[in-house]
Amino acid sequence: MSEDRTPRRMRVIGKESVAAGVVAVTLADADGGEVPEWEPGAHIDLVLGDITRQYSLCGDPADRRSLTVAVLHDPNGRGGSAYVHDKLEVGDLIPIDGPRNAFGLSTAESYLFVAGGIGITPLVPMLRAVDQQRRPWRLLYGGRARTSMAFAGDLAATHPDRVDVRPQDEYGLLDLDAALDALEPGAAVYCCGPEPLLQAIENACRARDLTLHVERFTPREIDPDAPVTSFEVELASTGEVVTVEESESVLDALERRGVNVDFSCREGTCGTCEVAVLAGRPDHRDSVLTDDEKAANDAMMICVSRSCTPRIILDL
Ligand code: FES
C-alpha cells in the first residue's frame, strides 16, 4: 500500500548550462539536512507548480548534501522543461518526491552503456559506480551535435579509452551492431535515450539474446488494436474484489474504491506503481519492465497494464 508521499522541500542552490538547451539544477535540503540516499539510475519527481515531472539524478550518490538533475528544454514538451529553464531560479523552494529507481544497476562481468542525448543523465552515476568497482565498461554516446551533448567533454577527457562520443552530424547514427558484437559473454547493456534508439537497441539485443536494461522518458507506443476488456482485481490482504472497467486502469479502479497505492507518472514509465502479482497473468503495457521481467509475470505497473486472465490477484 501507499508509503508516506509527503514531498520534501528542497532549495535550488545551483542552475547552470551544461550543453546547448540543457541546464543542470542542483538542490539541497531546505532545512539544511542531508538529502535522501539514492542508487545510480534513480530519479526524483520535481513538483513544478501544478505539474510533476520525473528527472534522473546525475550527481554523485556519495554526496549527501545535494541532488543534481539535468533538464533538456523541449519546446514541444508538456511544460516541465520550460518551467525549469524559464521560471526556476537559484533560491527557489521546490518540493520533490523520491528518489525512486526503476533502472537499477545489476552486477555483471562488464557493461555497455548507450546514451542518446539527454539519456546520458541516469548513466553518468552508473558508469562512475562501475568504474569505482574496476569493472570493464564502455559508453557509446550519441546526440544531435556535440554542443548539445551534456557532460560529453568531461566524460571523454576523463575516460578517453572507454567513452565514444558520436554526434550525429559528424558520425551519423550510432553503430549499435559493432558495439554489441564486441561484447564479451556476461556483459550488461544499459540504454537511455529517444524512442527510435531504444527500439533499435531492443531489436539488436533481442537478435543476439542479450539482456538489455532501458529507461524511457516517454511511454512505449501501445498497439492501438490491443484488446481492452474489463477484469477483476483481488486484493490479497483482504480478499476484496474490484472490477476494472474498460475505460479505466487498475490504479483508477483502486482509487475509486478508496485503496491508496503509490504512483507518480501514470503512464508506465517511472515504476512507482509496481505491484507484485500473486495469481493471474498481467497484460504488460508499461515501459519499465524488461522482457524477462514481463515473462516472469510476478509484477505489474498498475497505471497502464491490464490482465490477460479474468481475475488477477495482487499483493495489496
Ligand atoms: S505511476 Fe509511473 S509506472 Fe505507474
Side-chain angles (χ1 to χ4, degrees):
M1 298 277 181
S2 173
E3 63 193 51
D4 176 13
R5 301 190 67 238
T6 309
R8 176 187 291 253
R9 269 182 356 137
M10 306 290 282
R11 189 174 295 282
V12 179
I13 60 167
K15 180 178 174 185
E16 62 169 332
S17 172
V18 289
V22 182
V23 291
V25 176
T26 304
L27 306 165
D29 185 90
D31 301 317
E34 292 196 325
V35 298
E37 289 186 60
W38 58 281
E39 303 275 338
H43 65 266
I44 54 174
D45 291 0
L46 296 189
V47 182
L48 306 163
D50 54 2
I51 55 178
T52 300
R53 293 287 179 267
Q54 293 81 41
Y55 295 102
S56 298
L57 292 168
C58 59
D60 183 352
D63 172 9
R64 298 300 311 283
R65 305 308 303 182
S66 68
L67 300 173
T68 301
V69 296
V71 179
L72 169 69
H73 185 232
D74 179 358
N76 301 314
R78 295 171 293 172
S81 69
Y83 188 107
V84 171
H85 277 255
D86 302 338
K87 292 193 179 155
L88 199 64
E89 293 181 359
V90 171
D92 284 358
L93 287 174
I94 178 172
I96 70 160
D97 209 352
R100 299 194 188 85
N101 200 342
F103 191 42
L105 190 59
S106 59
T107 302
E109 299 291 320
S110 60
Y111 297 84
L112 172 66
F113 299 104
V114 180
I118 196 64
I120 189 64
T121 51
L123 302 183
V124 169
M126 287 187 171
L127 52 89
R128 183 187 294 120
V130 299
D131 197 62
Q132 286 169 351
Q133 294 164 10
R134 300 191 181 286
R135 292 182 188 272
W137 61 273
R138 294 197 71 77
L139 169 67
L140 184 59
Y141 183 8
R144 237 177 338 101
R146 199 172 284 271
T147 52
S148 68
M149 296 170 67
F151 313 121
D154 282 352
L155 290 168
T158 311
H159 308 284
D161 50 339
R162 296 192 181 280
V163 173
D164 294 316
V165 175
R166 295 286 181 266
Q168 192 172 347
D169 61 351
E170 296 175 35
Y171 294 90
L173 295 177
L174 293 178
D175 190 348
L176 298 177
D177 288 332
L180 295 172
D181 286 342
L183 291 178
E184 302 283 341
V189 183
Y190 284 79
C191 180
C192 186
E195 190 60 27
L197 171 64
L198 297 178
Q199 282 183 10
I201 200 164
E202 279 177 340
N203 292 336
C205 284
R206 223 169 259 146
R208 291 168 174 82
D209 205 17
L210 287 166
T211 300
L212 170 69
H213 306 261
V214 301
E215 177 153 87
R216 283 183 154 78
F217 294 139
T218 52
R220 185 201 300 269
E221 214 166 280
I222 301 290
D223 176 1
D225 297 326
V228 179
T229 55
S230 78
F231 55 95
E232 290 177 336
V233 167
E234 181 177 326
L235 310 184
S237 64
T238 60
E240 189 179 352
V241 175
V242 179
T243 299
V244 181
E245 305 292 352
E246 293 174 12
S247 58
E248 63 184 353
S249 67
V250 175
L251 180 58
D252 294 334
L254 294 178
E255 286 178 330
R256 179 166 50 75
R257 193 61 84 82
V259 179
N260 290 321
V261 186
D262 215 0
F263 68 87
S264 179
C265 71
R266 299 188 85 110
E267 58 182 19
T269 56
C270 75
T272 308
C273 68
E274 181 171 354
V275 173
V277 175
L278 303 181
R281 189 155 54 88
D283 175 3
H284 294 290
R285 300 184 180 198
D286 64 273
S287 307
V288 176
L289 298 176
T290 64
D291 287 349
D292 288 348
E293 288 166 341
K294 286 178 179 165
N297 283 330
D298 57 4
M300 67 185 286
M301 303 302 149
I302 60 168
C303 65
V304 290
S305 294
R306 304 187 68 80
S307 180
C308 299
T309 46
R311 180 176 291 193
I312 197 158
I313 304 180
L314 299 181
D315 187 16
L316 286 172

